Coordinates of all heavy atoms in Angstrom, one line a residue:
K133 N 3.1 -5.6 -12.8 CA 1.8 -5.4 -13.6 C 2.1 -5.2 -15.1 O 1.4 -5.8 -16.0 CB 1.0 -4.3 -13.1 CG 0.5 -4.6 -11.7 CD -0.5 -3.4 -11.1 CE -0.9 -3.7 -9.7 NZ -1.8 -2.7 -9.2
D134 N 3.2 -4.5 -15.4 CA 3.6 -4.4 -16.8 C 3.9 -5.8 -17.4 O 3.7 -6.1 -18.4 CB 4.9 -3.4 -17.0 CG 4.4 -1.9 -16.6 OD1 3.3 -1.6 -16.8 OD2 5.3 -1.3 -16.2
W135 N 4.7 -6.6 -16.5 CA 5.1 -7.8 -17.0 C 3.8 -8.8 -17.1 O 3.8 -9.7 -18.1 CB 6.2 -8.6 -16.1 CG 7.6 -7.9 -16.3 CD1 8.2 -7.1 -15.4 CD2 8.3 -8.2 -17.3 NE1 9.4 -6.8 -16.0 CE2 9.5 -7.5 -17.2 CE3 8.2 -9.0 -18.5 CZ2 10.5 -7.5 -18.1 CZ3 9.2 -9.0 -19.4 CH2 10.4 -8.3 -19.2
Q136 N 2.9 -8.5 -16.4 CA 1.6 -9.5 -16.4 C 1.0 -9.2 -17.8 O 0.6 -10.1 -18.5 CB 0.6 -9.1 -15.3 CG -0.6 -9.9 -15.4 CD -1.4 -9.8 -14.2 OE1 -1.0 -9.3 -13.1 NE2 -2.5 -10.6 -14.1
I137 N 1.0 -8.0 -18.2 CA 0.4 -7.6 -19.5 C 1.2 -8.2 -20.7 O 0.7 -8.7 -21.6 CB 0.3 -6.1 -19.7 CG1 -0.9 -5.6 -18.7 CG2 -0.1 -5.6 -21.1 CD1 -0.8 -4.1 -18.6
R138 N 2.5 -8.1 -20.5 CA 3.5 -8.7 -21.6 C 3.4 -10.1 -21.6 O 3.3 -10.8 -22.6 CB 4.9 -8.2 -21.3 CG 5.1 -6.8 -21.6 CD 6.5 -6.4 -21.2 NE 7.4 -6.8 -22.3 CZ 8.6 -6.6 -22.4 NH1 9.2 -5.8 -21.5 NH2 9.3 -7.0 -23.4
N139 N 3.3 -10.9 -20.5 CA 3.2 -12.2 -20.5 C 2.0 -12.8 -21.1 O 1.9 -13.8 -21.9 CB 3.4 -12.8 -19.1 CG 4.8 -12.7 -18.5 OD1 5.7 -12.3 -19.2 ND2 4.9 -12.9 -17.1
M140 N 0.8 -12.1 -20.8 CA -0.4 -12.5 -21.3 C -0.5 -12.3 -22.9 O -1.0 -13.0 -23.6 CB -1.6 -11.7 -20.6 CG -1.8 -12.2 -19.3 SD -2.9 -11.2 -18.2 CE -4.4 -11.4 -19.1
A141 N 0.1 -11.2 -23.3 CA 0.1 -10.8 -24.7 C 1.0 -11.8 -25.4 O 0.8 -12.1 -26.7 CB 0.6 -9.4 -24.9
A142 N 1.9 -12.4 -24.8 CA 2.8 -13.3 -25.5 C 2.3 -14.8 -25.3 O 2.9 -15.8 -25.9 CB 4.2 -13.4 -24.7
G143 N 1.1 -15.0 -24.8 CA 0.3 -16.3 -24.9 C 0.8 -17.1 -23.7 O 0.7 -18.4 -23.9
F144 N 0.9 -16.5 -22.6 CA 1.0 -17.3 -21.4 C -0.2 -17.0 -20.4 O -0.7 -15.9 -20.4 CB 2.4 -16.9 -20.6 CG 3.6 -17.4 -21.3 CD1 4.0 -16.5 -22.4 CD2 4.1 -18.6 -20.9 CE1 5.2 -17.1 -23.0 CE2 5.2 -19.0 -21.7 CZ 5.8 -18.3 -22.7
R145 N -0.5 -18.0 -19.6 CA -1.6 -17.9 -18.7 C -1.0 -18.0 -17.3 O -0.2 -18.9 -17.0 CB -2.6 -19.0 -18.9 CG -3.9 -19.0 -17.9 CD -5.0 -20.0 -18.3 NE -4.5 -21.4 -18.4 CZ -4.4 -22.1 -17.2 NH1 -4.8 -21.7 -16.1 NH2 -4.0 -23.4 -17.3
Q146 N -1.5 -17.1 -16.5 CA -0.9 -17.0 -15.0 C -1.7 -18.1 -14.2 O -2.9 -18.2 -14.2 CB -1.1 -15.6 -14.5 CG -0.5 -15.3 -13.2 CD -0.5 -13.9 -12.8 OE1 -1.4 -13.1 -13.3 NE2 0.3 -13.5 -11.9
L147 N -0.9 -18.7 -13.3 CA -1.5 -19.7 -12.4 C -1.7 -19.0 -11.0 O -1.0 -18.2 -10.6 CB -0.4 -20.9 -12.2 CG -0.3 -21.6 -13.5 CD1 0.8 -22.7 -13.2 CD2 -1.5 -22.3 -14.0
P148 N -2.7 -19.5 -10.3 CA -3.0 -18.9 -9.0 C -2.0 -19.4 -8.1 O -1.3 -20.4 -8.2 CB -4.3 -19.5 -8.6 CG -4.6 -20.6 -9.6 CD -3.7 -20.4 -10.8
L149 N -1.8 -18.6 -7.0 CA -0.8 -18.9 -6.0 C -1.5 -20.0 -5.0 O -2.6 -20.0 -4.9 CB -0.6 -17.7 -5.1 CG 0.1 -16.5 -5.8 CD1 0.2 -15.2 -5.0 CD2 1.7 -16.9 -6.1
D150 N -0.5 -20.9 -4.5 CA -1.1 -21.9 -3.5 C -1.3 -21.3 -2.3 O -0.5 -20.6 -1.7 CB 0.1 -22.9 -3.5 CG -0.2 -24.0 -2.6 OD1 -0.2 -23.8 -1.3 OD2 -0.7 -25.1 -3.1
R151 N -2.5 -21.3 -1.7 CA -3.0 -20.7 -0.5 C -2.1 -21.1 0.6 O -1.7 -20.3 1.5 CB -4.4 -21.0 -0.2 CG -5.4 -20.4 -1.2 CD -5.6 -18.9 -1.0 NE -5.5 -18.4 -2.2 CZ -4.8 -17.3 -2.6 NH1 -3.9 -16.8 -1.8 NH2 -4.8 -16.8 -3.8
E152 N -2.0 -22.4 0.7 CA -1.2 -23.0 1.8 C 0.2 -22.6 1.9 O 0.8 -22.1 3.0 CB -1.3 -24.6 1.9 CG -0.7 -25.1 3.1 CD -1.0 -26.6 3.1 OE1 -2.0 -27.1 2.7 OE2 0.1 -27.3 3.5
L153 N 0.9 -22.5 0.7 CA 2.1 -22.0 0.6 C 2.4 -20.5 1.0 O 3.2 -20.1 1.7 CB 2.8 -22.2 -0.7 CG 4.2 -21.7 -1.0 CD1 5.2 -22.4 -0.1 CD2 4.5 -21.9 -2.5
M154 N 1.3 -19.7 0.6 CA 1.3 -18.3 0.9 C 1.2 -18.1 2.4 O 1.9 -17.2 3.0 CB 0.3 -17.5 0.1 CG 0.6 -17.3 -1.3 SD 2.1 -16.3 -1.6 CE 1.5 -14.8 -0.9
M155 N 0.3 -18.8 3.0 CA 0.2 -18.6 4.5 C 1.4 -19.1 5.2 O 1.8 -18.4 6.2 CB -1.0 -19.5 5.0 CG -2.4 -18.9 4.5 SD -3.9 -19.9 4.9 CE -3.4 -21.1 6.2
T156 N 2.1 -20.1 4.8 CA 3.2 -20.6 5.4 C 4.4 -19.5 5.2 O 5.1 -19.2 6.2 CB 3.7 -21.9 4.8 OG1 2.7 -22.9 5.0 CG2 5.0 -22.4 5.4
M157 N 4.5 -19.0 4.1 CA 5.5 -17.9 3.9 C 5.2 -16.7 4.6 O 6.2 -16.1 5.2 CB 5.7 -17.8 2.4 CG 6.2 -18.9 1.6 SD 6.5 -18.7 -0.1 CE 7.9 -17.5 -0.1
K158 N 4.0 -16.2 4.6 CA 3.7 -15.0 5.6 C 4.1 -15.3 7.0 O 4.5 -14.4 7.6 CB 2.3 -14.7 5.4 CG 1.8 -14.1 4.0 CD 0.4 -13.8 3.8 CE 0.1 -13.1 2.5 NZ -1.3 -12.8 2.4
A159 N 3.7 -16.4 7.5 CA 3.9 -16.7 8.8 C 5.4 -16.8 9.1 O 6.0 -16.3 10.1 CB 3.3 -18.1 9.2
K160 N 6.2 -17.4 8.2 CA 7.6 -17.5 8.4 C 8.3 -16.1 8.4 O 9.2 -15.8 9.3 CB 8.2 -18.3 7.3 CG 9.8 -18.4 7.2 CD 10.2 -19.5 8.3 CE 11.7 -19.6 8.2 NZ 12.3 -20.3 9.4
V161 N 7.9 -15.2 7.5 CA 8.5 -13.9 7.4 C 8.1 -13.0 8.7 O 8.9 -12.3 9.3 CB 7.8 -13.1 6.2 CG1 8.2 -11.6 6.3 CG2 8.6 -13.7 4.9
K162 N 6.8 -13.3 9.2 CA 6.4 -12.6 10.4 C 7.1 -13.0 11.7 O 7.5 -12.2 12.5 CB 4.9 -12.8 10.6 CG 4.2 -12.0 11.6 CD 2.7 -11.9 11.7 CE 2.3 -11.1 12.8 NZ 0.9 -10.8 12.7
S163 N 7.4 -14.4 11.7 CA 8.1 -14.9 12.9 C 9.5 -14.8 12.9 O 10.2 -14.8 13.9 CB 7.6 -16.4 13.0 OG 8.2 -17.2 12.1
S164 N 10.2 -14.8 11.6 CA 11.6 -15.0 11.6 C 12.5 -13.8 11.0 O 13.7 -13.8 10.9 CB 12.0 -16.2 10.8 OG 11.3 -17.3 11.5
Y165 N 11.7 -12.9 10.4 CA 12.4 -11.9 9.7 C 12.2 -10.5 10.3 O 11.2 -10.3 11.2 CB 11.9 -11.8 8.2 CG 12.4 -12.9 7.3 CD1 11.9 -14.2 7.5 CD2 13.6 -12.8 6.6 CE1 12.4 -15.3 6.8 CE2 14.0 -13.9 5.8 CZ 13.4 -15.1 6.0 OH 13.9 -16.1 5.3
H166 N 12.8 -9.4 9.9 CA 12.6 -8.1 10.5 C 11.2 -7.7 10.3 O 10.6 -8.0 9.2 CB 13.7 -7.1 9.8 CG 13.6 -5.9 10.4 ND1 12.7 -4.9 10.2 CD2 14.5 -5.3 11.4 CE1 13.0 -3.8 10.9 NE2 14.2 -4.0 11.6
Q167 N 10.7 -6.9 11.1 CA 9.3 -6.5 11.2 C 8.9 -5.7 9.9 O 7.8 -5.7 9.5 CB 8.9 -5.8 12.4 CG 9.7 -4.4 12.6 CD 9.4 -3.8 13.8 OE1 8.8 -4.3 14.7 NE2 9.8 -2.6 13.9
N168 N 9.9 -5.1 9.3 CA 9.5 -4.3 8.1 C 9.5 -5.0 6.7 O 9.0 -4.6 5.8 CB 10.6 -3.1 7.9 CG 10.4 -2.1 9.0 OD1 9.2 -1.9 9.5 ND2 11.5 -1.5 9.4
F169 N 9.9 -6.4 6.8 CA 9.7 -7.1 5.6 C 8.1 -7.6 5.6 O 7.6 -7.8 6.5 CB 10.5 -8.5 5.6 CG 12.0 -8.2 5.4 CD1 12.9 -8.4 6.4 CD2 12.4 -8.1 4.0 CE1 14.3 -8.3 6.1 CE2 13.7 -8.0 3.8 CZ 14.7 -8.0 4.8
F170 N 7.8 -7.7 4.3 CA 6.5 -8.2 4.1 C 6.3 -9.1 2.8 O 7.1 -9.0 1.9 CB 5.4 -7.1 4.0 CG 5.4 -6.3 2.8 CD1 4.7 -6.7 1.6 CD2 6.1 -5.0 2.8 CE1 4.8 -5.9 0.5 CE2 6.1 -4.3 1.6 CZ 5.4 -4.7 0.5
I171 N 5.4 -10.0 3.0 CA 4.9 -10.8 1.8 C 3.4 -10.6 1.6 O 2.7 -10.6 2.5 CB 5.2 -12.3 1.9 CG1 6.7 -12.5 1.8 CG2 4.6 -13.1 0.9 CD1 7.1 -13.9 1.9
D172 N 3.0 -10.2 0.4 CA 1.7 -10.0 0.2 C 1.3 -10.6 -1.2 O 2.2 -11.2 -1.9 CB 1.3 -8.6 0.1 CG -0.2 -8.3 0.4 OD1 -1.0 -9.1 0.5 OD2 -0.5 -7.0 0.5

């Protein structure tokens, strides 16, 4: 969150995350990684 403020102040615009990619990554972590890992 600190970096978000700094990046915006430096003149950068944040792009939204790709929904499909996020769903794929969350499913991969849930199915293939230790249960205590998470992606959000």
Side-chain angles (χ1 to χ4, degrees):
K133 291 180 181 182
D134 292 331
W135 280 110
Q136 182 164 353
I137 293 167
R138 290 180 74 172
N139 290 348
M140 291 170 64
F144 289 84
R145 182 173 60 85
Q146 193 173 18
L147 299 175
L149 296 169
D150 181 281
R151 294 285 135 232
E152 188 175 320
L153 178 62
M154 285 300 296
M155 287 178 15
T156 301
M157 292 184 69
K158 286 179 181 183
K160 179 72 172 173
V161 167
K162 188 172 184 168
S163 69
S164 303
Y165 288 78
H166 190 278
Q167 65 186 9
N168 288 327
F169 281 112
F170 71 85
I171 288 187
D172 204 353

